[in-house]
Amino acid sequence: MDVFKFGGASVNSAEGVLNFFKIVQSYKNESLIVVSAMGKTTNALEQIVDNFFHKKNDLVQKQFEEVKAYHFDIITALFSKDNTLSVEKIDVLFNELNAYLQKPASLNYEFEYDQIVAYGELLSTTIISEYLRQKGVKNQWVDIRRYLKTNDTFGEAKIDWELSRQLIPTAFNFHDTFIYITQGFIGGTSSNLTTTLGREGSDYTAAILANILDAREVSILKDVPGVMNADPKWLPDAKQLKRISYQEAIELAFFGAKVIHPKTIQPLREKNIPMYVRSFINFFDQGTLVSEASIEKSAKIPIFIQKKDQRLISIRPKDYSFVIEENLGPIFSLIAKYRLKVNLTQNSAISFSLCVDNNNKNIDKLIESLKENYEIRYNDNLELITIRHYDTDSINQMTEGRSILLEQKSRDTAQYVLECDS
């Protein structure tokens, strides 16, 4: 059995779904297919969440209708006019979502986020499953929330591995079908409340299912030919990496490479399951193999990772005392409290600096809390450049003529917090 994960870009239109069908039709092995929300649906639903939570009802309804129209444009192009049953199934989901949006929001933003945003994956997988059925491809749609169980940390739920290991094999047994369609990114608590696994969590879902079901391999379908040494939209001369180790993949994901979700690798490494990152346009090209096998350092080329919209926060005790464990403990407790991901840290005798994504609504709350005991300075409009397997030329390429606010090097990695080019 093989696991496939199709990202939102691969099914962002009727043409994308037709291409999906060609890939599935050509593949004869038992397949478990994990699908993300279509196109930019997650972004659109996130806007709905924000307006719903802040009681901007007119905007909520307008944005809901836009999301519905986007999906029905795809449905109209895909389904025959007499296929009313499939359209009714999709309509049921929109009616459920619309009814939810008529209720008053709770006081828990993350809870509301999970209940609303999950509809992106429910819609995409229903459309795809029904289209395959229309084309004569037998498949079974599975609501993953019933089987992939998590705790109730809404917004970034943790997997309940013990319960999930009990339930998942009962859903994907390949007795009645050799193709399953299910959702990435979402799960459910033991009391059946919807949760999400963190942004871009569909890769992680594929890895979890592969681990529990002992898959032969995993294929992640992207809009790039494989793992590149840089985002080609940023550096057009980016080169494809044909083969990387699990360790290298973990490092790249940790530093912000968007092609692999940070949590994806560990479940695969635990059972030595190889993963291919492939293009959904040129599916039969090999792509990039991620496996236990490593590459000699001499064969490695510099890998560039860019994180935009960063904030650099500098923290200093008001009494100019040394920054030691007694200071760092409370600081990291606040970081954990506000659920911020720290991309880089550095400390001197009397200051501590950290670089974080600037798109988290809790950053200002963190700063206000820190101001009670520390002097705080911060800079916005920054970018963080990470260079794996750096050399002099690669550092110069990234930093020449740029204002460097902070830099840090280890044996294999150099990182620079830079002011953005005007």
Side-chain angles (χ1 to χ4, degrees), residues 385-405:
I385 303 294
T386 301
I387 311 171
R388 288 280 293 165
H389 318 301
Y390 61 89
D391 55 25
T392 302
D393 289 343
S394 61
I395 290 174
N396 289 339
Q397 179 184 350
M398 289 293 106
T399 63
E400 192 169 9
R402 306 284 301 276
S403 177
I404 301 172
L405 277 72

PDB file of all heavy atoms in Angstrom, residues 385-405:
ATOM      1  N   ILE A 385      17.399  34.645   6.512  1.00  0.00           N
ATOM      2  CA  ILE A 385      17.992  33.793   5.487  1.00  0.00           C
ATOM      3  C   ILE A 385      18.817  32.700   6.171  1.00  0.00           C
ATOM      4  O   ILE A 385      19.694  32.995   6.988  1.00  0.00           O
ATOM      5  CB  ILE A 385      18.905  34.597   4.532  1.00  0.00           C
ATOM      6  CG1 ILE A 385      18.140  35.745   3.873  1.00  0.00           C
ATOM      7  CG2 ILE A 385      19.521  33.666   3.490  1.00  0.00           C
ATOM      8  CD1 ILE A 385      17.039  35.313   2.946  1.00  0.00           C
ATOM      9  N   THR A 386      18.520  31.462   5.844  1.00  0.00           N
ATOM     10  CA  THR A 386      19.281  30.321   6.350  1.00  0.00           C
ATOM     11  C   THR A 386      20.012  29.679   5.179  1.00  0.00           C
ATOM     12  O   THR A 386      19.427  29.443   4.120  1.00  0.00           O
ATOM     13  CB  THR A 386      18.349  29.285   7.006  1.00  0.00           C
ATOM     14  OG1 THR A 386      17.642  29.902   8.079  1.00  0.00           O
ATOM     15  CG2 THR A 386      19.144  28.099   7.540  1.00  0.00           C
ATOM     16  N   ILE A 387      21.300  29.395   5.384  1.00  0.00           N
ATOM     17  CA  ILE A 387      22.102  28.728   4.349  1.00  0.00           C
ATOM     18  C   ILE A 387      22.646  27.433   4.939  1.00  0.00           C
ATOM     19  O   ILE A 387      23.473  27.462   5.859  1.00  0.00           O
ATOM     20  CB  ILE A 387      23.271  29.605   3.853  1.00  0.00           C
ATOM     21  CG1 ILE A 387      22.801  31.007   3.504  1.00  0.00           C
ATOM     22  CG2 ILE A 387      23.953  28.937   2.650  1.00  0.00           C
ATOM     23  CD1 ILE A 387      23.938  31.983   3.205  1.00  0.00           C
ATOM     24  N   ARG A 388      22.163  26.322   4.434  1.00  0.00           N
ATOM     25  CA  ARG A 388      22.715  25.021   4.820  1.00  0.00           C
ATOM     26  C   ARG A 388      23.908  24.720   3.919  1.00  0.00           C
ATOM     27  O   ARG A 388      23.887  24.977   2.714  1.00  0.00           O
ATOM     28  CB  ARG A 388      21.660  23.926   4.648  1.00  0.00           C
ATOM     29  CG  ARG A 388      20.539  23.961   5.661  1.00  0.00           C
ATOM     30  CD  ARG A 388      20.950  23.331   6.974  1.00  0.00           C
ATOM     31  NE  ARG A 388      21.177  21.889   6.845  1.00  0.00           N
ATOM     32  CZ  ARG A 388      21.819  21.156   7.753  1.00  0.00           C
ATOM     33  NH1 ARG A 388      22.332  21.732   8.833  1.00  0.00           N
ATOM     34  NH2 ARG A 388      21.961  19.858   7.581  1.00  0.00           N
ATOM     35  N   HIS A 389      24.990  24.177   4.497  1.00  0.00           N
ATOM     36  CA  HIS A 389      26.210  23.822   3.749  1.00  0.00           C
ATOM     37  C   HIS A 389      26.779  25.068   3.056  1.00  0.00           C
ATOM     38  O   HIS A 389      27.056  25.080   1.862  1.00  0.00           O
ATOM     39  CB  HIS A 389      25.921  22.713   2.732  1.00  0.00           C
ATOM     40  CG  HIS A 389      25.027  21.631   3.274  1.00  0.00           C
ATOM     41  ND1 HIS A 389      25.374  20.890   4.381  1.00  0.00           N
ATOM     42  CD2 HIS A 389      23.803  21.185   2.895  1.00  0.00           C
ATOM     43  CE1 HIS A 389      24.394  20.032   4.655  1.00  0.00           C
ATOM     44  NE2 HIS A 389      23.441  20.197   3.776  1.00  0.00           N
ATOM     45  N   TYR A 390      26.912  26.097   3.861  1.00  0.00           N
ATOM     46  CA  TYR A 390      27.339  27.395   3.342  1.00  0.00           C
ATOM     47  C   TYR A 390      28.808  27.401   2.945  1.00  0.00           C
ATOM     48  O   TYR A 390      29.616  26.584   3.405  1.00  0.00           O
ATOM     49  CB  TYR A 390      27.090  28.486   4.383  1.00  0.00           C
ATOM     50  CG  TYR A 390      27.848  28.283   5.682  1.00  0.00           C
ATOM     51  CD1 TYR A 390      29.126  28.797   5.848  1.00  0.00           C
ATOM     52  CD2 TYR A 390      27.279  27.577   6.747  1.00  0.00           C
ATOM     53  CE1 TYR A 390      29.826  28.617   7.032  1.00  0.00           C
ATOM     54  CE2 TYR A 390      27.968  27.392   7.933  1.00  0.00           C
ATOM     55  CZ  TYR A 390      29.244  27.902   8.071  1.00  0.00           C
ATOM     56  OH  TYR A 390      29.939  27.710   9.243  1.00  0.00           O
ATOM     57  N   ASP A 391      29.166  28.332   2.079  1.00  0.00           N
ATOM     58  CA  ASP A 391      30.555  28.660   1.766  1.00  0.00           C
ATOM     59  C   ASP A 391      30.617  30.178   1.608  1.00  0.00           C
ATOM     60  O   ASP A 391      29.601  30.875   1.715  1.00  0.00           O
ATOM     61  CB  ASP A 391      31.061  27.924   0.517  1.00  0.00           C
ATOM     62  CG  ASP A 391      30.178  28.149  -0.701  1.00  0.00           C
ATOM     63  OD1 ASP A 391      29.478  29.186  -0.761  1.00  0.00           O
ATOM     64  OD2 ASP A 391      30.177  27.302  -1.608  1.00  0.00           O
ATOM     65  N   THR A 392      31.789  30.682   1.350  1.00  0.00           N
ATOM     66  CA  THR A 392      31.967  32.140   1.263  1.00  0.00           C
ATOM     67  C   THR A 392      31.098  32.747   0.170  1.00  0.00           C
ATOM     68  O   THR A 392      30.452  33.793   0.357  1.00  0.00           O
ATOM     69  CB  THR A 392      33.444  32.486   1.014  1.00  0.00           C
ATOM     70  OG1 THR A 392      34.237  31.950   2.076  1.00  0.00           O
ATOM     71  CG2 THR A 392      33.643  33.992   0.962  1.00  0.00           C
ATOM     72  N   ASP A 393      31.065  32.093  -0.992  1.00  0.00           N
ATOM     73  CA  ASP A 393      30.293  32.636  -2.107  1.00  0.00           C
ATOM     74  C   ASP A 393      28.804  32.698  -1.784  1.00  0.00           C
ATOM     75  O   ASP A 393      28.129  33.679  -2.112  1.00  0.00           O
ATOM     76  CB  ASP A 393      30.517  31.785  -3.370  1.00  0.00           C
ATOM     77  CG  ASP A 393      31.910  31.967  -3.955  1.00  0.00           C
ATOM     78  OD1 ASP A 393      32.570  32.964  -3.602  1.00  0.00           O
ATOM     79  OD2 ASP A 393      32.338  31.115  -4.754  1.00  0.00           O
ATOM     80  N   SER A 394      28.286  31.644  -1.144  1.00  0.00           N
ATOM     81  CA  SER A 394      26.846  31.619  -0.851  1.00  0.00           C
ATOM     82  C   SER A 394      26.486  32.679   0.182  1.00  0.00           C
ATOM     83  O   SER A 394      25.419  33.303   0.097  1.00  0.00           O
ATOM     84  CB  SER A 394      26.425  30.230  -0.371  1.00  0.00           C
ATOM     85  OG  SER A 394      27.102  29.866   0.814  1.00  0.00           O
ATOM     86  N   ILE A 395      27.377  32.917   1.156  1.00  0.00           N
ATOM     87  CA  ILE A 395      27.125  33.971   2.149  1.00  0.00           C
ATOM     88  C   ILE A 395      27.135  35.342   1.484  1.00  0.00           C
ATOM     89  O   ILE A 395      26.252  36.173   1.717  1.00  0.00           O
ATOM     90  CB  ILE A 395      28.162  33.900   3.279  1.00  0.00           C
ATOM     91  CG1 ILE A 395      27.925  32.643   4.132  1.00  0.00           C
ATOM     92  CG2 ILE A 395      28.104  35.158   4.150  1.00  0.00           C
ATOM     93  CD1 ILE A 395      28.983  32.405   5.174  1.00  0.00           C
ATOM     94  N   ASN A 396      28.124  35.571   0.627  1.00  0.00           N
ATOM     95  CA  ASN A 396      28.193  36.850  -0.078  1.00  0.00           C
ATOM     96  C   ASN A 396      26.961  37.063  -0.958  1.00  0.00           C
ATOM     97  O   ASN A 396      26.427  38.184  -1.064  1.00  0.00           O
ATOM     98  CB  ASN A 396      29.454  36.925  -0.923  1.00  0.00           C
ATOM     99  CG  ASN A 396      30.714  37.057  -0.078  1.00  0.00           C
ATOM    100  OD1 ASN A 396      30.638  37.466   1.083  1.00  0.00           O
ATOM    101  ND2 ASN A 396      31.856  36.706  -0.637  1.00  0.00           N
ATOM    102  N   GLN A 397      26.524  36.006  -1.599  1.00  0.00           N
ATOM    103  CA  GLN A 397      25.352  36.099  -2.477  1.00  0.00           C
ATOM    104  C   GLN A 397      24.125  36.602  -1.723  1.00  0.00           C
ATOM    105  O   GLN A 397      23.343  37.383  -2.251  1.00  0.00           O
ATOM    106  CB  GLN A 397      25.065  34.725  -3.089  1.00  0.00           C
ATOM    107  CG  GLN A 397      23.845  34.696  -4.005  1.00  0.00           C
ATOM    108  CD  GLN A 397      23.532  33.298  -4.505  1.00  0.00           C
ATOM    109  OE1 GLN A 397      24.318  32.366  -4.334  1.00  0.00           O
ATOM    110  NE2 GLN A 397      22.371  33.132  -5.119  1.00  0.00           N
ATOM    111  N   MET A 398      23.994  36.183  -0.472  1.00  0.00           N
ATOM    112  CA  MET A 398      22.807  36.525   0.301  1.00  0.00           C
ATOM    113  C   MET A 398      22.932  37.839   1.069  1.00  0.00           C
ATOM    114  O   MET A 398      21.923  38.504   1.326  1.00  0.00           O
ATOM    115  CB  MET A 398      22.500  35.399   1.302  1.00  0.00           C
ATOM    116  CG  MET A 398      21.987  34.118   0.683  1.00  0.00           C
ATOM    117  SD  MET A 398      20.344  34.318  -0.072  1.00  0.00           S
ATOM    118  CE  MET A 398      20.777  34.309  -1.810  1.00  0.00           C
ATOM    119  N   THR A 399      24.142  38.217   1.439  1.00  0.00           N
ATOM    120  CA  THR A 399      24.298  39.336   2.382  1.00  0.00           C
ATOM    121  C   THR A 399      24.968  40.565   1.801  1.00  0.00           C
ATOM    122  O   THR A 399      24.910  41.632   2.426  1.00  0.00           O
ATOM    123  CB  THR A 399      25.111  38.886   3.608  1.00  0.00           C
ATOM    124  OG1 THR A 399      26.437  38.520   3.188  1.00  0.00           O
ATOM    125  CG2 THR A 399      24.454  37.710   4.304  1.00  0.00           C
ATOM    126  N   GLU A 400      25.600  40.456   0.667  1.00  0.00           N
ATOM    127  CA  GLU A 400      26.361  41.587   0.134  1.00  0.00           C
ATOM    128  C   GLU A 400      25.461  42.808  -0.069  1.00  0.00           C
ATOM    129  O   GLU A 400      24.395  42.722  -0.688  1.00  0.00           O
ATOM    130  CB  GLU A 400      27.022  41.209  -1.191  1.00  0.00           C
ATOM    131  CG  GLU A 400      28.048  42.234  -1.651  1.00  0.00           C
ATOM    132  CD  GLU A 400      28.886  41.717  -2.806  1.00  0.00           C
ATOM    133  OE1 GLU A 400      28.567  40.651  -3.360  1.00  0.00           O
ATOM    134  OE2 GLU A 400      29.880  42.388  -3.137  1.00  0.00           O
ATOM    135  N   GLY A 401      25.852  43.931   0.517  1.00  0.00           N
ATOM    136  CA  GLY A 401      25.101  45.161   0.400  1.00  0.00           C
ATOM    137  C   GLY A 401      23.871  45.230   1.278  1.00  0.00           C
ATOM    138  O   GLY A 401      23.113  46.201   1.198  1.00  0.00           O
ATOM    139  N   ARG A 402      23.670  44.234   2.135  1.00  0.00           N
ATOM    140  CA  ARG A 402      22.491  44.196   3.009  1.00  0.00           C
ATOM    141  C   ARG A 402      22.892  44.570   4.437  1.00  0.00           C
ATOM    142  O   ARG A 402      24.025  44.355   4.878  1.00  0.00           O
ATOM    143  CB  ARG A 402      21.874  42.786   3.037  1.00  0.00           C
ATOM    144  CG  ARG A 402      21.524  42.183   1.682  1.00  0.00           C
ATOM    145  CD  ARG A 402      20.267  42.769   1.096  1.00  0.00           C
ATOM    146  NE  ARG A 402      19.118  42.580   1.953  1.00  0.00           N
ATOM    147  CZ  ARG A 402      18.371  41.463   1.977  1.00  0.00           C
ATOM    148  NH1 ARG A 402      18.684  40.434   1.202  1.00  0.00           N
ATOM    149  NH2 ARG A 402      17.307  41.397   2.757  1.00  0.00           N
ATOM    150  N   SER A 403      21.948  45.112   5.182  1.00  0.00           N
ATOM    151  CA  SER A 403      22.168  45.454   6.581  1.00  0.00           C
ATOM    152  C   SER A 403      21.845  44.235   7.436  1.00  0.00           C
ATOM    153  O   SER A 403      20.703  43.763   7.451  1.00  0.00           O
ATOM    154  CB  SER A 403      21.283  46.631   6.983  1.00  0.00           C
ATOM    155  OG  SER A 403      21.436  46.933   8.349  1.00  0.00           O
ATOM    156  N   ILE A 404      22.871  43.706   8.136  1.00  0.00           N
ATOM    157  CA  ILE A 404      22.709  42.504   8.956  1.00  0.00           C
ATOM    158  C   ILE A 404      22.457  42.923  10.401  1.00  0.00           C
ATOM    159  O   ILE A 404      23.279  43.582  11.024  1.00  0.00           O
ATOM    160  CB  ILE A 404      23.970  41.620   8.875  1.00  0.00           C
ATOM    161  CG1 ILE A 404      24.244  41.210   7.429  1.00  0.00           C
ATOM    162  CG2 ILE A 404      23.813  40.381   9.763  1.00  0.00           C
ATOM    163  CD1 ILE A 404      25.584  40.495   7.242  1.00  0.00           C
ATOM    164  N   LEU A 405      21.332  42.513  10.958  1.00  0.00           N
ATOM    165  CA  LEU A 405      21.012  42.835  12.350  1.00  0.00           C
ATOM    166  C   LEU A 405      21.501  41.758  13.310  1.00  0.00           C
ATOM    167  O   LEU A 405      21.785  42.029  14.476  1.00  0.00           O
ATOM    168  CB  LEU A 405      19.504  43.036  12.532  1.00  0.00           C
ATOM    169  CG  LEU A 405      18.963  44.427  12.169  1.00  0.00           C
ATOM    170  CD1 LEU A 405      18.974  44.619  10.667  1.00  0.00           C
ATOM    171  CD2 LEU A 405      17.552  44.610  12.701  1.00  0.00           C
TER     172      LEU A 405
END
